[in-house]
């Protein structure tokens, strides 16, 4: 009697062959087994297949965890570096999957942030230079204003002296004119 084993028939046959090879003394019993023996064999095969399935599932689970957890941990580490202000972190964006796209996006973000910080530094340096020039110009203007104020004070003092001299000359000329008129009247 032949039993249809379905798409996993080759696995069952391989497991059966392994059992026959493992238990060579019981080969006739396994080959010519009656119904109760076949049930026992079916149980052994079921247990063996279950163990193989568990091992395969565990292997797939381990590979999946590695494929997801490692890139995710790497992305989190990079994000922490960037959050702490370290824009020198080199990102290796390998692969074209979702994590590869995530890392490529983070790499682009770091490059753009680095460019922005560099531009801000250049602008800050330009502002500092301009502010220094304005401060120097203000100091120069203040010095010239003080010099002009001093010169203006000297000019005002000189004008006062000149005004006093003109008054004195005017007074002297008036007195001379008055004397000259008195002397003409006395002569005359």
């Amino acid at each position: 009697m032949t039993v249809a084993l379905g798409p996993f028939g080759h696995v069952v046959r391989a497991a059966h062959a392994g059992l026959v090879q493992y238990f060579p003394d019981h080969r006739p019993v396994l080959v010519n087994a009656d119904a109760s023996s076949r049930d026992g064999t079916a149980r052994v095969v079921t247990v063996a297949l279950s163990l193989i399935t568990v091992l395969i599932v565990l292997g797939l689970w381990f590979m999946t965890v590695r494929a997801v957890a490692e890139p995710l941990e790497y992305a989190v580490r990079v994000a922490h570096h960037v959050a702490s202000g370290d824009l020198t972190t080199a990102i290796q964006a390998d692969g074209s999957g979702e994590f590869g796209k995530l890392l490529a996006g983070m790499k682009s973000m770091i490059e753009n942030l680095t460019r922005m910080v560099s531009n801000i530094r250049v602008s800050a340096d330009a502002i500092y230079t301009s502010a220094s020039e304005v401060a120097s110009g203000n100091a120069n203007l203040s010095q010239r204003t003080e010099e002009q104020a001093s010169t203006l004070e000297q000019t005002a003092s000189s004008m006062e002296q000149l005004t006093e001299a003109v008054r004195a000359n005017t007074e002297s000329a008036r007195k001379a004119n008055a004397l000259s008129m008195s002397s003409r009247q006395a002569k005359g």
Side-chain angles (χ1 to χ4, degrees):
M1 174 171 151
T2 304
V3 177
L5 299 175
F8 296 106
H10 65 286
V11 175
V12 172
R13 279 189 212 90
H16 182 263
L19 290 171
V20 168
Q21 187 177 8
Y22 186 70
F23 299 109
D25 295 337
H26 294 78
R27 180 180 176 162
V29 173
L30 291 174
V31 172
N32 299 319
D34 60 356
S36 65
S37 297
R38 278 185 268 159
D39 288 344
T41 303
R43 273 186 241 143
V44 169
V45 169
T46 303
V47 168
L49 287 177
S50 297
L51 288 174
I52 292 171
T53 303
V54 167
L55 291 175
I56 289 172
V57 167
L58 285 174
L60 290 173
W61 177 80
F62 180 73
M63 289 183 346
T64 303
V65 166
R66 264 186 78 137
V68 172
E70 286 180 3
L72 187 58
E73 277 182 34
Y74 180 67
V76 168
R77 277 195 314 271
V78 168
H80 283 297
H81 282 284
V82 172
S84 69
D86 179 12
L87 298 179
T88 62
T89 303
I91 294 182
Q92 298 171 351
D94 299 333
S96 60
E98 296 303 317
F99 288 110
K101 290 176 186 176
L102 172 67
L103 292 174
M106 291 178 78
K107 183 177 183 179
S108 175
M109 176 187 70
I110 288 175
E111 289 169 355
N112 289 335
L113 284 172
T114 302
R115 199 171 16 262
M116 284 173 47
V117 168
S118 176
N119 290 341
I120 290 170
R121 283 183 183 156
V122 167
S123 297
D125 288 344
I127 289 170
Y128 176 77
T129 301
S130 296
S132 296
E133 289 173 359
V134 167
S136 175
N138 284 342
N140 189 7
L141 178 63
S142 176
Q143 180 184 358
R144 287 183 301 170
T145 302
E146 287 176 12
E147 289 173 0
Q148 287 180 352
S150 176
T151 303
L152 188 58
E153 284 179 17
Q154 290 174 354
T155 302
S157 176
S158 296
M159 290 295 286
E160 284 180 23
Q161 290 173 356
L162 182 62
T163 302
E164 196 56 42
V166 167
R167 234 183 254 144
N169 285 342
T170 303
E171 187 61 34
S172 294
R174 202 171 27 94
K175 286 182 185 178
N177 191 20
L179 281 173
S180 156
M181 289 231 194
S182 311
S183 86
R184 258 194 234 162
Q185 282 178 357
K187 278 190 178 187

